[in-house]
Amino acid sequence: YEHNCRDCHGSSLDNGEFGGAPLRGSYFRNRWGSGSVANLYAYTKSRMPPDRPGVLSDKVYADLVAYLLQANGYESGGRELPADPKTQQSMSLKRD
């Protein structure tokens, strides 16, 4: 995150110098809260970083998504977030 995202999204995920969308709080919940981890991962991989989308490894994208989820209060699982879209599809971001 520090190397690839911080300039746009900020040190607290919502105070970026270059106007990136907030990655935590109500904006994040409204944007991503009704989808799946696969949706967030696919968007991140296909659009980020804006000047070189898709350049990071699948594992790094999965780690970034896991970091965003943790920052938004989602519980961590006992394993690393998988980079496999089929597995991610079953992981809902909806909250009860």
Side-chain angles (χ1 to χ4, degrees), residues 5-26:
C5 311
R6 186 173 188 234
D7 286 347
C8 291
H9 298 284
S11 59
S12 63
L13 288 87
D14 62 359
N15 64 342
E17 182 178 340
F18 298 110
L23 298 177
R24 68 180 184 105
S26 62

Side-chain angles (χ1 to χ4, degrees), residues 3-95:
H3 180 69
N4 293 292
C5 311
R6 186 173 188 234
D7 286 347
C8 291
H9 298 284
S11 59
S12 63
L13 288 87
D14 62 359
N15 64 342
E17 182 178 340
F18 298 110
L23 298 177
R24 68 180 184 105
S26 62
Y27 181 88
F28 183 90
R29 283 189 306 275
N30 290 332
R31 175 75 169 97
W32 300 106
S34 63
S36 69
V37 171
N39 298 118
L40 177 58
Y41 177 87
Y43 180 88
T44 304
K45 185 174 179 178
S46 68
R47 309 266 314 254
M48 298 294 144
D51 61 339
R52 55 192 197 290
V55 72
L56 306 174
S57 72
D58 290 346
K59 181 185 179 335
V60 170
Y61 281 111
D63 289 347
L64 287 170
V65 168
Y67 177 68
L68 298 180
L69 295 175
Q70 181 182 22
N72 281 281
Y74 289 90
E75 280 193 45
S76 298
R79 301 178 287 148
E80 287 188 7
L81 182 68
D84 173 48
K86 287 183 182 180
T87 304
Q88 294 172 352
Q89 193 64 40
S90 67
M91 301 169 140
S92 176
L93 295 178
K94 293 178 185 175
R95 298 216 175 169

